[in-house]
Amino acid sequence: MHYRKLKEKQEYDDNLEKLKKGRWDARENMGKALVTGGGSGIGREISVRLLRAGYEIVYVGRKERGLKYEGEMYGRKVTFLKKDLKREWDGVDFRDIDLLVCNAGVGGGATLLDTEWEDEIGVNLRSVVGMTKRFLECKNSEEDRSA
């Protein structure tokens, strides 16, 4: 086996042992990440990886799912923000958010004759564009104040 691969494998094994024993040395604080749909599926995996990388997590969704254990395991704060992204995305405060991950999505296979497509557009399009716009506006105003 190549030396670099062997070294990476050894580091992985060492970290896995630390993780099993509850002595994971998380990296320095990277800031705070907001993850929509961060409590389940792909969003949960993204949240866990961000915790491991050193981020605090604010996850947004309709139902609170358990990320508390993972936060404790990596020594990071995890906060749940209950929002139905079909309509409520505009109430999110982005001032202390460093990273935005728009992961939430719905897909019920609605046709144009159904009213459910409005909900799908609300989550899959309006919330992503609206939250990203507000996040960028907030970051741009912070840069203007610091300049």
Side-chain angles (χ1 to χ4, degrees), residues 43-85:
R44 181 182 179 82
E45 185 62 28
I46 291 169
S47 295
V48 170
R49 288 178 185 239
L50 289 171
L51 283 167
R52 191 177 338 166
Y55 283 90
E56 292 180 12
I57 299 295
V58 176
Y59 69 105
V60 181
R62 290 174 290 154
K63 300 176 191 166
E64 184 170 7
R65 315 257 180 170
L67 275 174
K68 200 170 215 167
Y69 170 75
E70 287 83 351
E72 290 172 4
M73 184 167 57
Y74 296 114
R76 301 288 173 214
K77 184 177 177 185
V78 175
T79 307
F80 172 67
L81 186 59
K82 183 177 175 124
K83 295 279 181 191
D84 183 350
L85 292 175

Side-chain angles (χ1 to χ4, degrees), residues 81-106:
L81 186 59
K82 183 177 175 124
K83 295 279 181 191
D84 183 350
L85 292 175
K86 293 176 215 163
R87 296 167 190 88
E88 297 179 305
W89 54 266
D90 57 346
V92 178
D93 182 9
F94 291 104
R95 286 179 289 190
D96 59 345
I97 301 297
D98 301 297
L99 177 68
L100 174 64
V101 179
C102 294
N103 169 74
V106 295

Side-chain angles (χ1 to χ4, degrees), residues 28-43:
E28 64 187 63
N29 187 4
M30 299 295 291
K32 191 180 284 188
L34 187 140
V35 182
T36 65
S40 62
I42 294 170

